[in-house]
Amino acid sequence: MCAPTGSGKTVIFEIAVVRLLMETPAPWTKVKIVYMAPIKALCGQRFEDWKEKFEPIGLLCKELTGDTEVEDLFEIQHAHIIMTTPEKWDSMTRKWRDNTLVQLVRLFLIDEVHTVKDESRGATLEVVVSRMKTMQASLSRAAKNAEEFPNMRFVAVSATIPNADDIAEWLSDGKHPALCMKMDESHRPVKLRKVVLGFPCNSNQTEFKFDLSLNYKIAGVIQTYSDQKPTLVFCATRKGVQQAASVLAKDANFILSTEHKKRLLKAANAVKDGKLRDLVLYGVGYHHAGMDVSDRKIIEATFTAGDLPVLFTTSTLAMGVNLPAHLVIIKSTMHYAAGMFQEYSETDILQMIGRAGRPQFDTTAIAVIMTRISTKVKYVQMIDGMDTIESSLHRHLVEHLNAEISLHTITDVNIALEWIKSTFLYIRALKNPSHYGFPQGLDKIGIEAKLQELCLRNLNDLSSVGLIRMDEEINFKPTENGKLMALYYIAFDTAKLFNCIQGKETLIDLVMLISTCKEFSDVQLRTSEKKILNSLNKDKNRVTIRFPMEGKIKSKEMKVNCLIQAQLGCLPVQDFSLTQDMAKIFRHGTRVAKYLSEYLALQEKKFIAFLNALILTKCFRCKLWENSLHVSKQLDKIGVNLANAIVNAGLTSFKKIEEINARELELIVNRHPPFGNQIKESVMYLPKYGLSVEQIGRYSPSIAEILVTVKLTNFEQLQKKRTAHDLHYVSLIIGDSDNHVVFKQKIMDSTLIRSGIWTRKIEIKRVSTSAELSINLISSDYVGLDIQQSFSVLYAVPQRCERDVGTKWKSEDTFSKESNARSNSGKFCQCSSL
């Protein structure tokens, strides 16, 4: 269904849902409906709207976006309508063979399907839809009676595009062609007039200067087109929003009634930001994600009520908050993204234009695009819906091929080509081969051969990094690393980066490495943030990050590194845009660190790097360094401020918190009883571990045997109650002095709780450098519970070198003392922090 933005395409989805319910007998336990939109904000809007409409008739709605925690996956088992983004659904369906939930989808609703052309995210949408088609075909074939197998229905809507038929062809299943419906501008409830204004831009004028020059043109545009009705102006950056608003406040003179002025004064007095307060009195406001939340709400309410004549905002607002206006102005078509100026995507432009027109107040609306003379024609074609939708899958093929190989959808080159034929890329490559770098004049067989060549190139790239295995017949299988990359949704460039790890990387080496990952490519370093970041990095008068970087913060990698360390060090960051970036970094970083530790677990000769990756994964999860004094921050009801007060009182370990008097603890954190008892109780019911190692017989010059015992010292208490969740575990990691992983094992709390003890005999091969072992017990979720110790192993025959003999006798002496101590007392080595 192809119709102009703002003409109510959502109703099509609602009718499709109702039709499905009419065809399916209640209760609808075996029915899942998926609504997929390109951005989280649209999913959020749909969730709020449909929750109100559908829950009264028994349909449960659930959001599944990037912010959703793992626990929510269990909740969506019971949901009927799932709102999700292509990225999130992609990661879900990568497990579809063992996920019955995905197999219950009967209706798949795709909003803004024209975003399939988006350079960065379109490929994911394309692959997800193709996978749902493949899955449907596969389940249908597997069913005993294919006729009775319930079909999945696709309903896709898009803005006006010239090649909607291509999308219909792609969605068709071969047997039934998709119905394609097109509507033109005449069906829009509020008639929209679109104007593109071209402004001269000298060849030596920078984008930044051109953008500034447009600030002085806005007053004239508003005067010409606004009809004295609310105007929304989209700017490229947060700073640009504030600059443009200040310029207009000086240039414009709005005719306001006394009553109107009173309402503006009331709104201005409620605003915290001094600059914004002054502008609101002139009838001008601004709105961006870096503002105080209460200020944003006041501005939204004032503009929606029609009291604020002009509102300046960033382009991201078009995606989230619904603030329609009579006149929409897009000030400059370039924005700063991924470290450089680039054109807005068509989706961005259409979303911004879609904000023009207030159905309850207007019958007409106007959208004005301010751009350079050289790009005027391009935007005229775009807004007239003349811009053909092309695929961008060929630019992101490598990750998606790996995912399909991990799913065993693709096992050889012929199947790879079959899979390609299910994509939008195939349909467009046949019609416009030159866009995809293929020569003109090729027939269908020639284009298919070129697509096969493209596949092979990407497959060779995957094979070169050890993500897949290929044989001479070009059959391929996923490696364990390839499966991890698909499971954790890792970019190929990140997998390639981790492939270069030497094996002795320290904790900070790994933080620096993760900071350069592709997953953070959309984090920007803004000029306004540099002062805060530099003082977090180096400052004589305050606590700074644990591993300061040399020089000033001048790249986004340095910013990511600084924010990771600030969060782990519990350093206060007041800037709202930085705290937002921090949340994004930790969302991706937790996943990347988990992949890194599981990838290194596959390597046997990189013990130090593996151990540090495991510790870093836990740090990301806890948002604390591994030796942090702020252990109390991990307890319920304790945030950074209370944790700081607890640290200042010297309570820097769980043991100290457990030993203090409850009333004294309440005085420290300024809380009433029984708060102290609750905190002490949650510490008391944390698992407390003991670790014991002893040698049991020396039977060979090259091999020794040790007995490792892990004990849950408070297992009797934990029978009644547990603070840690049911899936909590410790990892026992043993490494030798040659950097080899001698032993690794996850030990679940649930296993230890049965008897309180876990023992294992482990063979240790002799290595040339030293007989010392590093033995580590690392908690999966808590900082402050780990135990790390070293142990010297003895072998039957000492080495001949005198110096070595000396060392060995010394070790033996130490060992005999340790052995006697253990046999006498039977005590376990306890972690000092407990």
Side-chain angles (χ1 to χ4, degrees), residues 144-163:
K144 287 174 185 166
N145 187 349
E147 292 302 310
E148 287 177 17
F149 185 79
N151 274 331
M152 185 196 309
R153 186 176 186 216
F154 287 98
V155 179
V157 303
S158 88
T160 313
I161 50 172
N163 60 327

Side-chain angles (χ1 to χ4, degrees), residues 549-550 552-562:
M549 290 165 277
E550 278 184 35
K552 299 277 187 194
I553 305 282
K554 52 184 177 289
S555 67
K556 78 164 184 259
E557 289 78 12
M558 290 176 89
K559 172 181 170 174
V560 172
N561 185 336
C562 187

Side-chain angles (χ1 to χ4, degrees), residues 108-394:
F108 201 86
L109 309 170
I110 312 163
D111 206 351
E112 312 280 357
V113 72
H114 55 273
T115 56
V116 76
K117 74 173 284 183
D118 190 283
E119 287 287 316
S120 56
R121 308 177 72 182
T124 307
L125 188 154
E126 183 172 342
V127 165
V128 167
V129 173
S130 294
R131 189 177 301 148
M132 294 305 283
K133 284 172 64 186
T134 310
M135 185 189 80
Q136 173 74 10
S138 157
L139 293 171
S140 179
R141 280 196 301 273
K144 287 174 185 166
N145 187 349
E147 292 302 310
E148 287 177 17
F149 185 79
N151 274 331
M152 185 196 309
R153 186 176 186 216
F154 287 98
V155 179
V157 303
S158 88
T160 313
I161 50 172
N163 60 327
D165 297 322
D166 289 338
I167 289 182
E169 190 183 335
W170 169 44
L171 293 177
S172 303
D173 64 358
K175 291 177 282 188
H176 315 288
L179 175 69
C180 182
M181 298 163 72
K182 297 178 193 173
M183 292 166 76
D184 58 25
E185 285 287 332
S186 65
H187 294 275
R188 204 175 190 274
V190 177
K191 299 292 173 281
L192 179 65
R193 180 183 164 203
K194 289 171 276 196
V195 179
V196 180
L197 301 176
F199 294 91
C201 177
N202 302 332
S203 54
N204 60 354
Q205 196 175 15
T206 62
E207 282 305 330
F208 178 67
K209 283 273 169 63
F210 175 68
D211 191 66
L212 276 179
S213 71
L214 294 182
N215 288 343
Y216 299 92
K217 310 278 195 302
I218 288 172
V221 174
I222 291 172
Q223 204 171 353
T224 310
Y225 298 102
S226 76
D227 196 18
Q228 292 177 356
K229 289 178 181 175
T231 299
L232 196 54
V233 185
F234 287 107
C235 305
T237 63
R238 296 170 185 184
K239 192 175 179 182
V241 162
Q242 286 167 272
Q243 284 174 336
S246 302
V247 170
L248 182 71
K250 287 177 193 144
D251 286 3
N253 188 10
F254 299 110
I255 302 156
L256 306 171
S257 66
T258 313
E259 193 55 42
H260 197 155
K261 282 178 183 172
K262 276 184 193 170
R263 291 198 299 272
L264 278 179
L265 181 64
K266 188 183 173 186
N269 288 337
V271 169
K272 293 178 188 171
D273 181 340
K275 281 183 191 167
L276 180 57
R277 193 181 304 126
D278 296 343
L279 293 174
V280 169
L281 293 171
Y282 285 105
V284 178
Y286 59 75
H287 181 295
H288 59 71
M291 284 166 60
D292 183 89
V293 180
S294 63
D295 281 3
R296 265 169 38 202
K297 292 231 157 56
I298 292 162
I299 293 297
E300 284 167 25
T302 313
F303 186 72
T304 307
D307 291 338
L308 194 65
V310 183
L311 177 60
F312 288 83
T313 183
T314 47
S315 53
T316 44
L317 174 93
M319 305 293 186
V321 189
N322 188 12
L323 288 179
H326 175 74
L327 168 64
V328 163
I329 300 171
I330 300 174
K331 190 203 82 162
S332 178
T333 49
M334 299 285 275
H335 68 133
Y336 193 73
M340 59 183 187
F341 273 100
Q342 56 191 45
E343 300 275 340
Y344 281 125
S345 69
E346 183 178 3
T347 313
D348 293 335
I349 295 283
L350 291 173
Q351 282 288 340
M352 288 186 263
I353 286 175
R355 292 283 168 256
R358 301 170 302 154
Q360 66 273 47
F361 303 114
D362 296 336
T363 50
T364 60
I366 299 174
V368 176
I369 297 176
M370 300 170 75
T371 187
R372 286 154 296 155
I373 288 174
S374 56
T375 50
K376 184 178 174 178
V377 175
K378 175 189 168 179
Y379 287 99
V380 168
Q381 286 182 336
M382 183 190 286
I383 60 178
D384 287 343
M386 299 307 292
D387 226 11
T388 304
I389 301 292
E390 297 288 359
S391 169
S392 59
L393 179 58
H394 57 301

